[in-house]
Amino acid sequence: MYLKTLTLENFRCYEQTRIELPRGLVVVLGPNASGKTTLLEAVYLLATTTSPRSGPARAMVRHGQSWGRVTGVFERDGREVTISVTLGDPSGSRSGSKTVEVDGREVDSLREAIGRVQASLFWVGSLEVVKGSPSERRRFMNEAIGQTSARYLDDLARYRRALRQRNELLRSIRARGGSGSILAPWTRALVDAGVPIIEDRASFVRALAAEAAPMHLRLGAGAEELSVQYDPSVAAGSDLDAEDEFYQRLEETHEREVERGSTQVGPHRDDVILTVDGVDVRRFGSQGQQRTAALALTLAQASVARVRTETEPILLLDDCLSELDPARGAAMLDLSEDREQMIVTSACCPEHLAERLADAHVIDTGGELASCRPCRIPDIEGRNTESHHGP
Ligand SMILES: Nc1ncnc2c1ncn2[C@@H]1O[C@H](COP(=O)(O)OP(=O)(O)OP(=O)(O)O)[C@@H](O)[C@H]1O
Ligand SMILES: [Mg+2]
């Protein structure tokens, strides 16, 4: 699938901008703070209905305005899909709201819109998947699986609700005493929602690992081998299935959970083990190793989504070129050859990649995007690439 047109209205630094994009490699070039990451953020918002950046939805609305909107026309299997996300309410009555329309029809729940469009994003926050706390890796799993399975999102919502209620009860038992039996309905709800989450994560990480290792090699990390392994809080043992195991572990940890006022085991304590040549890259990887591992995970996730949805996700790669060495940078750009669309941002055109970039479609955020200005990147042989966008 690919994005054909992107329209931004009052979206962060953009006032009114319409951009046409072709298939293949698209390079967004422009100085710092010119709106490159914002473009990728807009595409990601259309795919997932949320921003990768933290903060409330209204933070995406252009300062001084009461509403903003992003609209994308995508082509998927020869058919057009139009998605638009409106932040705030242009009529002024429901400020702070977020509405999503698919082909002009407002969807009842955001969940309905998720997964219509597949996109995989690599940006500075993706590094946290490798070097951040386990919660970052859980978030990565949740977003990746959620993009291809609405049922997973439902299980996750049920699990979070059960966990919250159960923890409240544990705190009340700690404060006022009481029998553990009042927990039973919430324990059951926790296990019922938790077991499919554990199974989905196990199968996702297996698929991810198979894609990530060759991707990591391809990115030019030489003979270094990336291994990705699910590290569940409740693992199905040899003679117990996940459900029995979950009940048993909750029972074993009951004293501690009352003492601490929180559930001690379950998918909310899962992690993913990442090693490069057997060394824990989460804690001991060099910056470059962590970056390459994070990039390999993003690309592997896109491959898993491609297999599961039979659709090629759009790859959104923010600011990768500047930090990768020449071989890794070239390997990354070469990936676009077998992808339907890959949108890459860069603050400058690295000289060693100029020839490779000369064939790409360029969007220049440094100029007035809205004024339909042709943009140029000189390459080492003096050729120019031109592209027109606007109005
Ligand atoms: N709600 C908003 N209203 C107006 N401007 C905003 C809003 N949110 C962010 N901005 C501004 O948008 C500009 C573009 O940000 P963006 O992160 O897209 O830049 P960038 O081109 O990716 O920069 P860099 O090369 O430094 O990564 C910034 O100057 C930022 O302050
Ligand atoms: Mg940026």
Side-chain angles (χ1 to χ4, degrees):
M1 94 174 328
Y2 79 105
L3 174 62
K4 288 167 90 166
T5 52
L6 179 68
T7 308
L8 306 172
E9 297 164 86
N10 294 334
F11 187 72
R12 295 206 187 266
C13 54
Y14 292 94
E15 193 179 344
Q16 274 279 350
T17 301
R18 192 180 130 90
I19 303 168
E20 309 278 346
L21 302 98
R23 280 192 166 88
L25 178 61
V26 176
V27 181
V28 181
L29 268 184
N32 294 134
S34 60
K36 301 182 298 297
T37 302
T38 302
L39 283 188
L40 300 192
E41 178 186 22
V43 184
Y44 190 83
L45 178 70
L46 293 171
T48 65
T49 77
T50 54
S51 165
R53 288 169 158 154
S54 54
R58 67 173 179 281
M60 289 182 271
V61 175
R62 189 173 153 85
H63 295 149
Q65 304 294 323
S66 59
W67 65 276
R69 182 182 289 132
V70 178
T71 307
V73 180
F74 298 85
E75 195 176 304
R76 178 177 180 161
D77 307 327
R79 287 179 42 203
E80 276 192 359
V81 186
T82 303
I83 302 207
S84 91
V85 178
T86 304
L87 308 156
D89 180 14
S91 70
S93 54
R94 291 186 297 177
S95 81
S97 65
K98 180 160 71 180
T99 42
V100 181
E101 283 174 32
V102 177
D103 291 332
R105 192 181 64 85
E106 185 175 332
V107 292
D108 296 331
S109 73
L110 296 182
R111 183 182 161 285
E112 252 186 88
I114 294 175
R116 304 271 179 150
V117 165
Q118 298 290 330
S120 299
L121 169 71
F122 177 83
W123 70 305
V124 65
S126 309
L127 292 175
E128 293 303 313
V129 175
V130 174
K131 62 181 192 180
S133 64
S135 65
E136 297 289 345
R137 287 177 284 283
R138 290 194 293 273
R139 186 152 68 144
F140 174 75
M141 289 193 280
N142 292 343
E143 284 177 6
I145 305 169
Q147 262 198 55
T148 64
S149 164
R151 206 238 331 115
Y152 181 84
L153 294 176
D154 291 341
D155 288 337
L156 211 54
R158 285 196 296 133
Y159 184 81
R160 286 180 176 144
R161 195 166 50 241
L163 183 67
R164 204 171 45 242
Q165 303 277 8
R166 200 172 180 277
N167 287 348
E168 266 174 36
L169 279 178
L170 284 168
R171 282 192 291 276
S172 108
I173 295 174
R174 183 179 58 184
R176 291 184 281 280
S179 134
S181 61
I182 54 165
L183 285 174
W186 295 113
T187 302
R188 201 172 320 116
L190 194 78
V191 173
D192 280 354
V195 167
I197 293 174
I198 297 169
E199 285 164 353
D200 284 350
R201 285 180 177 177
S203 114
F204 168 72
V205 178
R206 244 193 329 272
L208 185 77
E211 299 284 350
M215 190 58 77
H216 191 256
L217 282 178
R218 184 169 169 185
L219 283 171
E224 283 185 336
E225 197 179 317
L226 173 67
S227 135
V228 185
Q229 222 184 319
Y230 182 37
D231 183 15
S233 160
V234 178
S238 48
D239 41 42
L240 284 182
D241 62 15
E243 186 177 324
D244 293 340
E245 190 80 37
F246 203 166
Y247 278 119
Q248 186 169 318
R249 298 272 288 123
L250 284 166
E251 222 172 280
E252 283 165 13
T253 55
H254 182 61
E255 214 168 296
R256 198 150 36 102
E257 63 180 10
V258 174
E259 214 173 274
R260 306 205 177 158
S262 65
T263 306
Q264 298 296 300
V265 292
H268 63 291
R269 292 283 177 93
D270 282 354
D271 200 353
V272 177
I273 301 169
L274 300 169
T275 61
V276 169
D277 279 353
V279 176
D280 189 340
V281 70
R282 298 171 300 186
R283 294 200 295 147
F284 301 112
S286 75
Q287 275 186 34
Q289 279 177 322
Q290 289 182 335
R291 213 178 158 78
T292 310
L295 190 52
L297 287 178
T298 303
L299 297 166
Q301 181 241 315
S303 301
V304 174
R306 172 170 54 176
V307 172
R308 292 188 169 185
T309 63
E310 294 176 357
T311 315
E312 179 80 64
I314 300 167
L315 284 181
L316 308 170
L317 307 177
D318 192 31
D319 213 11
C320 305
L321 298 174
S322 57
E323 293 202 25
L324 291 176
D325 63 37
R328 290 181 200 214
M332 200 208 70
L333 290 177
D334 286 344
L335 288 173
S336 67
E337 282 163 11
D338 48 321
R339 306 288 151 150
E340 196 166 350
Q341 190 178 50
M342 183 163 119
I343 310 176
V344 179
T345 73
S346 183
C348 59
C349 175
E351 208 172 298
H352 60 274
L353 295 174
E355 194 172 0
R356 183 69 188 72
L357 288 175
D359 297 330
H361 178 86
V362 176
I363 293 170
D364 176 12
T365 53
E368 270 300 306
L369 251 185
S371 67
C372 190
R373 191 176 152 272
C375 51
R376 294 160 182 278
I377 39 164
D379 76 7
I380 39 179
E381 279 147 31
R383 275 181 293 152
N384 281 305
T385 309
E386 294 211 345
S387 72
H388 294 268
H389 35 72

